Amino acid sequence: MTTTATRTTRASFRDGVNRALDDAMASDRRVIVFGEDVADREGGGVLTVTKGLSEKYGTSRVRSTPISEQAIVGAAVGAAIAGARPVAEIMLNNFLRVAADQLANHAAKLRYMSGGQTTVPLTVRTICGAAGGFGAQHSDILDSEFAHVAGLKIVAPATPSDAYGLLRSCIEDEDPCLFLEHLKLYFGGPKEVLADVPERIPLGSARIARAGTDVTVVTYSQTVHDALAAAKAVAADGIDVEVIDLRTIAPWDEQTVLESAARTRRIVVAHESAVPFGIGGEISSRIHEELFSQLAGPVLRVGSAHTPVPFAAALESAYLINASTIETAIRKATKA
Amino acid sequence: MPASTKIISAVDLYRTMYTIKECDDQFWTLMQSGQVVLNYYSPRGQEAVATGICAALDSTDYLVTTYRGLHDHLAKGVPLSDLWAEFLGRATGTCKGKGGPMHITHPDSGLMVTTGVVGSGLPIANGFALWSQINGDGRVTACSFGDGASNIGAFHEALNLASVWKLPVIFVCHNNLYAEHTALAAGTGVTRIADRAASYGMVGVQVDGNDPLAVRDAAAEAVARARAGEGPTLIEAVTFRFRGHQFGDPGEYIDKAEMAAARERDPLPRLRARLLDEFGASPDELTALEDEVRAAVTQAAKDALATPEPSVEELFTDVFATTAGGAA
Ligand SMILES: Cc1ncc(C[n+]2csc(CCOP(=O)(O)OP(=O)(O)O)c2C)c(N)n1
Ligand SMILES: [Mg+2]
């Protein structure tokens, strides 16, 4: 990152999210936070991400809710139109399906349906991804499911500083944003030194996580780290991989991806959710539409298995995308 | 914000109700003639509910309603011309023709959301009330929905949350005794929807939804409770719809005797008779009022029909307020 760090303590992903909420609440009284168990009396969230906020800003602005996902997201919709900047927490991405009506039918569409008279500047934060045997109903990443809805912005950071900078931007954005926080980033994700005043990261801008010349891997969220590991593994064989961390899934940074693809001519799209009907299909198609004749070979896609997420550790790891499945795809791309 | 100081006479209530009825009649005629094609859910018969509720609200208070919303839109004060233009999908409509009758929004009147998804307005109404509570702006949010909507999960989640947070919100069930083609008893486990409030520690009241004065009084109590920080109220206004679920529904599932009995309770002739008997109105005065309303609605219809449809460029505007590159 380009920020000049003057602090020396290394921030975790959790710290990045927590500080973004804290700073947003401090700078704008319209920012309110609610979700299951998010207030300090209830522990400050299941992963303590909201710890300290209710003590600092009061239980009017930071509220624990009943287990009522439709009521949570619906309250965010109404409050956002009324002038608040609500940040609603839906504990796990799977549970957002319970509130899909509020997010997809209402948050995403009310601005359009009103002819621009109202806006819905809400943020929904949610933990996603498979790790540690939570099984089929607690491990999904609903990226393509919601990316297909016109009117939503979808953000999926991979690092603490991006978590900070992107969450600040989501909260300040005039449109509804879905903020995906991968569970693995909370446990063993990389730590970083955050600046005293960390930068905001604009929505829709990708980051070159590793510059390279031979193959481009386009990815986001936790999978960025798998892609970087794969890049390191093939570097020993002289394959120089560029890793693009999209950071924002919708709208995605076409320009950065197409520029890189035009240079390397070999592209792999990698994400944890399954390949069929996924984000990779969209990115791959756009690259083919723009650069077909210049490519050395077809854009390859890698993801996890198109199955429900299994419980047993052996099955879960067989299900999951990882550095070696990405490495295999990179090597295949270089053969084209 | 002070409690409502506006004084609304019974004649004013009648004017609003007559405007609703007249709009409904004229839409109906246009649809029957084939001049206008739209998915239309008539509020004919339910005029007193919207009129009574809105009589207890200030213009800055919020209302969230449903696809069967014409009565609410008009009672809350959405201007006739803008409303007609939106119903007919015109560029000059409240929503530039992009919402249509099921999605009217007009913030200047406090008409914030009209949803086509049964029950979805209640959680959103809570959000408006939540921000009023935090912000201390003194506003109250009312939310309309049908009897059928009281069977959907969102209703129950919303009532519970409103109660837990003591939100300044009023849930208004327009109980017209049918959900689409299903009679109340066939789809609802209680006979009094107001009783459902008890499950959430909330005040629930049932009121004659064909009597705008009774509705207004119940609403005024609920508004006072909400403004005093004493929390939400569920009002069940029992009424009827005379024109089936939507345009094109012959209503064969409604028993003829039931319909005839309901017509006896039609809120419009009923209020008209009371105005003459109890409120000292003269027949000439009321006829003049009716003529005036009819002329205004006829003009709004004529104007709307004469205005252009939105330009096709509007297809792509208003999806986002800000795009990655900057402004929309
Ligand atoms: C979630 C959902 N399910 C089904 C429908 C289709 N639908 C539209 S209106 C309606 C009946 C609703 O009845 P009620 O709540 O009593 O309202 P009313 O139409 O009588 O005003 C149904 C089933 C819908 N719009 N939304
Ligand atoms: Mg009904």
Side-chain angles (χ1 to χ4, degrees):
Chain A
M1 294 308 302
T2 53
T3 51
T4 39
T6 55
R7 292 184 183 199
T8 47
T9 48
R10 287 157 66 77
S12 64
F13 194 82
R14 179 256 164 219
D15 299 337
V17 175
N18 178 268
R19 251 191 86 188
L21 293 169
D22 193 346
D23 290 356
M25 294 198 79
S27 65
D28 186 349
R29 54 173 287 279
R30 299 173 304 169
V31 178
I32 56 177
V33 169
F34 48 89
E36 291 158 21
D37 291 339
V38 302
D40 288 308
R41 193 182 49 196
E42 289 74 35
V46 285
L47 298 182
T48 69
V49 175
T50 48
K51 204 171 178 61
L53 296 178
S54 72
E55 273 167 17
K56 200 160 168 187
Y57 301 104
T59 49
S60 180
R61 286 177 69 197
V62 181
R63 298 182 183 212
S64 293
T65 65
I67 307 152
S68 304
E69 278 73 13
Q70 295 184 70
I72 294 167
V73 181
V77 171
I81 297 173
R85 295 278 161 160
V87 184
E89 176 172 315
I90 295 296
M91 195 180 291
L92 292 179
N93 206 169
N94 283 78
F95 311 153
L96 200 48
R97 283 185 170 129
V98 175
D101 169 54
Q102 287 298 338
L103 192 63
N105 286 331
H106 293 88
K109 296 181 180 180
L110 282 167
R111 175 179 167 79
Y112 190 81
M113 295 193 300
S114 75
Q117 294 178 97
T118 55
T119 50
V120 194
L122 63 77
T123 302
V124 174
R125 294 180 38 241
T126 187
I127 298 166
C128 66
F134 283 92
Q137 294 178 335
H138 289 63
S139 305
D140 285 338
I141 302 179
L142 307 180
D143 43 15
S144 56
E145 198 157 317
F146 287 108
H148 204 66
V149 178
L152 288 182
K153 293 175 180 171
I154 304 180
V155 174
T159 67
S161 55
D162 279 357
Y164 179 92
L166 289 164
L167 184 53
R168 293 295 307 266
S169 293
C170 284
I171 295 169
E172 286 167 11
D173 198 80
E174 297 294 331
D175 296 308
C177 296
L178 174 58
F179 192 81
L180 301 173
E181 303 166 7
H182 198 291
L183 183 62
K184 269 190 194 158
L185 297 171
Y186 279 110
F187 297 96
K191 292 190 171 189
E192 285 172 335
V193 175
L194 287 185
D196 281 344
V197 185
E199 288 175 0
R200 288 178 183 54
I201 313 283
L203 302 185
S205 88
R207 167 182 75 108
I208 311 270
R210 183 189 198 279
T213 52
D214 298 331
V215 178
T216 299
V217 178
V218 182
T219 182
Y220 50 86
S221 189
Q222 157 62 28
T223 312
V224 168
H225 305 294
D226 298 328
L228 289 171
K232 205 168 164 191
V234 298
D237 299 325
I239 303 171
D240 188 17
V241 175
E242 179 144 304
V243 176
I244 297 182
D245 175 1
L246 283 181
R247 306 196 286 196
T248 302
I249 297 170
W252 60 284
D253 186 345
E254 284 196 24
Q255 194 186 339
T256 298
V257 171
L258 291 174
E259 274 170 16
S260 174
R263 264 190 286 112
T264 64
R265 301 163 50 244
R266 294 178 173 85
I267 302 100
V268 173
V269 188
H271 48 59
E272 182 172 315
S273 47
V275 165
F277 311 101
I279 300 293
E282 172 63 18
I283 292 171
S284 163
S285 285
R286 286 295 299 133
I287 295 170
H288 286 129
E289 282 162 2
E290 295 298 321
L291 301 171
F292 184 71
S293 59
Q294 301 170 48
L295 300 179
V299 176
L300 301 178
R301 295 173 293 157
V302 257
S304 302
H306 197 202
T307 65
V309 181
F311 166 68
L315 290 179
E316 189 189 75
S317 66
Y319 155 88
L320 268 175
I321 189 174
N322 57 36
S324 97
T325 49
I326 299 171
E327 181 183 333
T328 304
I330 292 169
R331 290 189 189 282
K332 189 173 168 193
T334 57
K335 303 241 163 62
Chain B
M1 188 174 299
S4 178
T5 49
K6 67 180 178 184
I7 296 163
I8 291 183
S9 71
V11 173
D12 290 334
L13 296 177
Y14 185 68
R15 177 187 297 277
T16 300
M17 287 168 59
Y18 200 83
T19 307
I20 297 164
K21 177 190 146 28
E22 190 58 37
C23 283
D24 182 76
D25 282 345
Q26 294 204 23
F27 279 127
W28 207 260
T29 306
L30 281 171
M31 286 185 293
Q32 273 179 327
S33 72
Q35 256 185 293
V36 162
V37 178
L38 51 87
N39 223 8
Y40 180 67
Y41 304 85
S42 166
R44 187 66 266 284
Q46 302 181 196
E47 294 88 346
V49 185
T51 303
I53 295 290
C54 292
L57 299 175
D58 285 330
S59 62
T60 49
D61 289 326
Y62 294 134
L63 181 62
V64 173
T65 186
T66 74
Y67 51 90
R68 195 184 309 286
L70 174 65
H71 50 337
D72 276 341
H73 303 143
L74 289 166
K76 194 71 181 74
V78 180
L80 263 185
S81 53
D82 305 27
L83 190 65
W84 264 87
E86 188 62 31
F87 265 62
L88 303 192
R90 306 301 158 130
T92 52
T94 50
C95 312
K96 300 194 262 183
K98 293 160 115 170
M102 280 204 262
H103 306 303
I104 301 294
T105 292
H106 193 259
D108 287 349
S109 319
L111 198 298
M112 302 310 289
V113 172
T114 302
T115 181
V117 183
V118 168
S120 295
L122 291 92
I124 296 173
N126 277 345
F128 284 101
L130 170 64
W131 184 235
S132 289
Q133 185 185 65
I134 295 172
N135 199 23
D137 65 17
R139 284 181 160 118
V140 166
T141 300
C143 178
S144 296
F145 53 91
D147 46 291
S150 78
N151 296 318
I152 206 165
F155 166 94
H156 297 272
E157 288 193 17
L159 261 66
N160 184 60
L161 185 70
S163 172
V164 170
W165 285 353
K166 285 202 176 326
L167 295 176
V169 61
I170 304 169
F171 299 110
V172 185
C173 179
H174 297 223
N175 180 2
N176 57 19
L177 307 176
Y178 284 87
E180 233 171 66
H181 307 167
T182 302
L184 184 69
T188 304
V190 292
T191 48
R192 271 174 54 103
I193 289 168
D195 289 349
R196 290 191 154 162
S199 308
Y200 305 106
M202 185 185 301
V203 179
V205 292
Q206 191 184 57
V207 63
D208 178 356
N210 299 321
D211 178 351
L213 297 162
V215 175
R216 183 187 62 182
D217 291 348
E221 268 185 44
V223 167
R225 184 175 297 118
R227 289 210 215 282
E230 289 161 16
T233 306
L234 171 63
I235 296 175
E236 174 193 5
V238 183
T239 180
F240 206 76
R241 53 162 166 76
F242 296 137
R243 289 185 145 159
H245 176 58
Q246 68 186 118
F247 183 77
D249 168 18
E252 277 154 357
Y253 49 89
I254 302 174
D255 183 71
K256 288 215 164 41
E258 185 188 4
M259 180 62 95
R263 286 216 181 273
E264 290 295 310
R265 296 189 297 270
D266 187 333
L268 273 120
R270 211 172 145 193
L271 180 61
R272 196 180 202 281
R274 283 185 70 187
L275 291 176
L276 296 173
D277 297 347
E278 296 171 36
F279 293 90
S282 72
D284 286 353
E285 179 193 345
L286 294 185
T287 306
L289 178 155
E290 288 158 359
D291 289 346
E292 193 191 310
V293 166
R294 188 172 308 110
V297 172
T298 304
Q299 189 63 46
K302 215 175 132 197
D303 291 349
L305 285 165
T307 52
E309 291 192 43
S311 73
V312 291
E313 287 85 67
E314 280 293 340
L315 173 62
F316 295 107
T317 65
D318 303 319
V319 180
F320 290 107
T322 52
T323 56

